[in-house]
Amino acid sequence: MSQFQDLVQARRSANTFHPDIRISEQELQDMFNLVKFAPSAFNLQHTHYFAVTDPGIKNNVIYEAANKQHKVLTSSAVIVVLGDLEAYRNVGQINEGLLNLGVIDQFEFDAAVADVTRMYEEGGDTFKRDEAIRNASLSAMLFMLIAKDKGWDTCPMIGFDPERLRQGLNIPDRYVPVMMITIGKENTEKQRPRGYRKPIGEFVTYNEI
């Protein structure tokens, strides 16, 4: 069994954490330094992480926006995962390095900027939102695996009021609150059995539906 397989099987959603354990910003920085390698469409890197480590903000603003879920109170931090609706505007800046290194020429650079910009602007608000959510979700999954590899437990959360969260944290309109991730050390004494997992035959189809 590979180490990665062990990691995937060990990761699970934690509903209760040990409340007195703190996580340092340096530990989070180490995780974010790896999560930047998550895939994203056109390498636009749509994800912005809002890390809440301050107990006052976590136990008041986040807790209230999350419908007073207990896991927020016991967590060491809450990571708010945001998707950038305007990520496509950075396509030129992101590709400048490749242009300067000679990996792509000016024609390729201009074409990439024009094509990506046209795709997002013609796609409209729905496309921009879908892109923000799906790319931030890819990044969030990698974050949870990285956290587990470093000895931390997590739980992705969608049960929150996005507008209340936006107001409480002063989140700019360009960002969509995609999910929250509580992080800490799980209290395994209160750990539930792992939920049912479908056999492959129920969720995989080859060649025909």
Side-chain angles (χ1 to χ4, degrees), residues 161-173:
D161 183 335
E163 287 311 310
R164 192 166 186 176
L165 188 72
R166 182 186 298 281
Q167 293 173 13
L169 299 178
N170 296 316
I171 297 171
D173 289 341

Side-chain angles (χ1 to χ4, degrees), residues 95-105:
N95 284 283
E96 260 183 350
L98 295 177
L99 175 64
N100 294 334
L101 289 171
V103 176
I104 59 176
D105 59 27

Side-chain angles (χ1 to χ4, degrees), residues 185-201:
K185 302 285 186 176
E186 184 178 15
N187 183 350
T188 55
E189 292 179 0
K190 298 183 178 181
Q191 188 182 72
R192 300 174 182 174
R194 184 183 287 279
Y196 168 77
R197 290 297 191 270
K198 295 179 181 179
I200 293 173

Side-chain angles (χ1 to χ4, degrees), residues 66-78:
N67 306 309
K68 299 184 177 180
Q69 294 186 60
H70 183 66
K71 69 186 75 173
V72 171
L73 292 181
T74 60
S75 67
S76 301
V78 176

Side-chain angles (χ1 to χ4, degrees), residues 83 128-138 176-179:
K128 292 173 188 175
R129 181 180 174 83
D130 288 348
E131 277 288 273
I133 291 172
R134 62 179 149 240
N135 284 281
S137 297
L138 285 171
V176 178
V178 175
M179 71 180 77

Side-chain angles (χ1 to χ4, degrees), residues 143-182:
F143 175 84
M144 288 185 283
L145 289 172
I146 292 168
K148 187 62 181 176
D149 187 55
K150 292 183 175 295
W152 293 93
D153 300 298
T154 58
C155 184
M157 300 175 61
I158 60 168
F160 61 91
D161 183 335
E163 287 311 310
R164 192 166 186 176
L165 188 72
R166 182 186 298 281
Q167 293 173 13
L169 299 178
N170 296 316
I171 297 171
D173 289 341
R174 70 179 290 174
Y175 296 116
V176 178
V178 175
M179 71 180 77
M180 300 195 306
I181 301 173
T182 46

